[in-house]
Amino acid sequence: MENNLIKVKIEDHVALITMDAAPVNAQSRAFVEELTAVFDELNETPGVRAIVLTGEGKCFSAGADIKSRGKIADGAPGDTYRHLRRTREIGFVIMEMNIPVIAAVNGPALGAGMGLAICADIIVCSTKAVFGLPEIDIGLMGGVRHTMRVFPIGLTRRMVLTGWRCPAEELWRRGLIEACVEPEELLPTAMEMAKTMASKSPKAIQLAKRALNTVETMGLKDGYRFEQNLTVEMTRHPHSKEAMAAFLEKRPAVFKDEL
């Protein structure tokens, strides 16, 4: 994978992805394409069992690169829709990963930057983090549907219609993020959580992610039936047998990365 704007470090089955496009990790075409490629490759990298996504510097991501965004409408025919597709798909790439993704939000997460965090499985924040949808102030739209998956309707409407930036402490107070810690504690907190996930069966994690992503939009009975079918699939896998044996023998389970 290329590491021009996106840095990757893999250790103890956890991949740390750091967005490194100074000064504010704005999402240009090159940025989005590289980030998408990184996630796609990690999705098929043996031994990677969890991912932490964070930003270099004081900002998680300030969203779209407005300077390059302004040129798209005046570009060649089809450029607008190619841009929309790239922007849309990076969120789904994160959501559809076979392995869990933790967003470690170190600073402002605005617009498309907030979208990256919301598409992760879990959000942990520094006390310096803020979330915002500033599109109303720069002649753009976007972010409503993804935000409503995680934030209440009233808060979403306030952010969309006023451009208000919500501090991480407020999200923590409302129970919408999993941690709000001092800046120096952010990565240790996220990595500890990721390492706990990485200690589980990779197959079980894969099926759990499939269940979480699928049943979210299903009715109760159909969703539960879907989960039960995944349970049957899991019990027939060697990882299930190893987990049960380890429990009975009072020892840590040992899982192979091959699924």
Side-chain angles (χ1 to χ4, degrees):
M1 64 186 75
E2 293 186 10
N3 289 131
N4 298 319
L5 303 171
I6 312 297
K7 311 300 183 186
V8 180
K9 180 181 179 182
I10 300 174
E11 186 175 336
D12 296 331
H13 297 292
V14 177
L16 174 62
I17 301 176
T18 304
M19 298 177 286
D20 190 10
V24 293
N25 297 318
Q27 298 178 35
S28 63
R29 173 178 176 175
F31 179 103
V32 172
E33 289 180 346
E34 188 174 330
L35 186 59
T36 300
V38 164
F39 273 105
D40 280 341
E41 186 166 334
L42 289 175
N43 206 28
E44 293 188 327
T45 300
V48 175
R49 300 182 182 179
I51 292 173
V52 173
L53 174 66
T54 195
E56 181 66 32
K58 297 181 180 180
C59 197
F60 180 76
S61 173
D65 185 339
I66 299 302
K67 292 181 180 179
S68 63
R69 176 68 177 82
K71 300 175 183 177
I72 292 172
D74 300 324
D79 279 356
T80 295
Y81 291 98
R82 281 187 284 270
H83 167 77
L84 293 177
R85 187 179 302 110
R86 284 192 298 269
T87 303
R88 181 170 63 244
E89 288 306 315
I90 180 56
F92 290 111
V93 165
I94 295 173
M95 291 176 66
E96 294 168 2
M97 291 289 290
N98 290 325
I99 53 182
V101 179
I102 300 172
V105 184
N106 54 299
L110 308 177
M114 177 173 159
L116 296 179
I118 283 181
C119 287
D121 295 287
I122 291 173
I123 303 172
V124 298
C125 292
S126 155
T127 52
K128 294 184 179 296
V130 294
F131 289 72
L133 296 170
E135 287 88 348
I136 196 75
D137 295 321
I138 53 177
L140 298 173
M141 292 286 109
V144 174
R145 188 63 193 92
H146 273 302
T147 303
M148 281 185 174
R149 286 184 53 251
V150 181
F151 292 178
I153 292 175
L155 176 58
T156 300
R157 289 177 181 269
R158 179 182 179 185
M159 295 174 74
V160 170
L161 297 175
T162 70
W164 181 62
R165 299 184 180 188
C166 186
E169 292 97 328
E170 174 64 12
L171 296 177
W172 169 247
R173 185 186 71 81
R174 293 176 180 234
L176 301 177
I177 58 176
E178 295 307 304
C180 182
V181 298
E182 293 301 319
E184 63 273 14
E185 299 174 9
L186 177 63
L187 277 183
T189 298
M191 294 300 289
E192 180 181 0
M193 195 177 296
K195 288 177 181 178
T196 298
M197 296 174 183
S199 69
K200 311 302 181 184
S201 155
K203 184 62 177 180
I205 288 287
Q206 181 190 68
L207 293 180
K209 279 287 307 261
R210 189 189 304 172
L212 289 164
N213 287 344
T214 304
V215 303
E216 182 177 346
T217 56
M218 296 177 73
L220 175 61
K221 188 172 183 179
D222 288 340
Y224 190 35
R225 182 185 295 118
F226 183 85
E227 291 180 71
Q228 287 181 315
N229 290 337
L230 293 183
T231 297
V232 172
E233 182 178 342
M234 184 64 212
T235 57
R236 294 171 177 169
H237 194 277
H239 284 191
S240 178
K241 297 177 175 59
E242 167 60 14
M244 291 184 182
F247 176 80
L248 294 173
E249 296 167 13
K250 296 180 170 54
R251 61 172 176 81
V254 179
F255 301 111
K256 297 180 179 179
D257 288 304
E258 295 79 6
L259 301 181

